[in-house]
Amino acid sequence: VRAQSALWKLRPGRPEAWLAELKKAAKLGPSALNEGLMSNIYLVNNQKEKALMAAEEAIAVNPWSPSAHVDLAWARQSGFDLEGATRAVEKALSLDPKNVRALITYCRLLFGSGYLEKSDAVADAILDISPDEPLALTLKGFLSLARRKTEKAITVFKQAVAGDTRLGQPHLGLGIAYVRMGEVEKGLQEMLVATLLDPNVAL
């Protein structure tokens, strides 16, 4: 119940309140879900070592939890351990091959490591499971940009925006695509929207 309460407090962007609820829940007994959520909060607060420790504890509590292995992948990725992150997410997928969160994480890792063909295949697998998944569409858009398929990128970025208006990344992708097409003003407008929705995009 406390973990669910923490989740609801995270939605409006209250990580400290979320963490407080999870710490209360931890006193009631070990929980992979609880430790995984704490790992995510530590990442939000840029406490990478604590995030890694919490993720490892989640797996110690329940090594059969795909979500716990994804949390470990995120924690390792934050420390630039891409090989370790990839191993963790591959373990998650061995436990649940259709886990969308794991597939999205895997797709991002592959894309970031330059494995475009494999990343594109994973993006397609996600969209087969969940055709309107905004994060998968966003990844597909960036993969299209990497392959110089700018018009296709614009189409899928627009689909991603329609699926979740709160995401900054698809607007960033649209901005890049429009600039590439010579529509600089339109591209800059999309980039502005991206930075307003997600200030980290400005980096």
Side-chain angles (χ1 to χ4, degrees):
V1 173
R2 288 197 179 277
Q4 289 297 323
S5 174
L7 280 170
W8 281 108
K9 288 180 178 177
L10 178 70
R11 291 174 186 270
R14 298 167 57 195
E16 283 72 25
W18 193 27
L19 189 58
E21 288 291 335
L22 293 172
K23 286 181 176 179
K24 290 177 184 177
K27 294 178 181 179
L28 302 176
S31 163
L33 172 62
N34 194 67
E35 293 294 335
L37 291 172
M38 288 180 70
S39 176
N40 295 166
I41 279 293
Y42 286 133
L43 282 181
V44 170
N45 290 333
N46 201 34
Q47 295 174 289
K48 298 177 183 180
E49 290 185 8
K50 287 185 177 181
L52 182 59
M53 290 175 61
E56 289 174 341
E57 181 61 26
I59 290 174
V61 172
N62 184 3
W64 309 112
S65 167
S67 181
H69 288 281
V70 176
D71 293 328
L72 179 60
W74 286 11
R76 285 177 173 172
Q77 186 177 2
S78 74
F80 303 103
D81 179 8
L82 299 186
E83 289 186 9
T86 301
R87 287 196 303 271
V89 77
E90 286 176 343
K91 177 62 177 178
L93 289 169
S94 74
L95 294 167
D96 181 4
K98 292 187 177 182
N99 186 300
V100 171
R101 183 169 171 249
L103 285 166
I104 288 171
T105 303
Y106 193 38
C107 188
R108 284 174 169 166
L109 284 166
L110 290 170
F111 184 31
S113 299
Y115 296 107
L116 298 186
E117 292 289 339
K118 195 169 183 179
S119 180
D120 197 39
V122 175
D124 287 338
I126 300 167
L127 293 171
D128 284 342
I129 298 167
S130 182
D132 299 320
E133 169 54 54
L135 293 176
L137 288 167
T138 299
L139 285 164
K140 191 73 176 178
F142 280 110
L143 282 160
S144 297
L145 281 179
R147 293 176 163 188
R148 313 298 297 182
K149 297 179 180 179
T150 308
E151 292 183 0
K152 182 177 180 180
I154 289 172
T155 298
V156 291
F157 281 134
K158 285 182 176 180
Q159 287 178 284
V161 169
D164 190 342
T165 57
R166 300 166 297 177
L167 293 177
Q169 289 290 337
H171 286 284
L172 174 62
L174 277 172
I176 295 169
Y178 284 137
V179 169
R180 186 178 289 179
M181 296 285 284
E183 300 181 64
V184 177
E185 185 175 347
K186 198 172 180 179
L188 291 175
Q189 288 176 350
E190 289 292 341
M191 291 180 185
L192 176 60
V193 172
T195 57
L196 290 173
L197 289 171
D198 182 359
N200 290 328
V201 169
L203 297 173

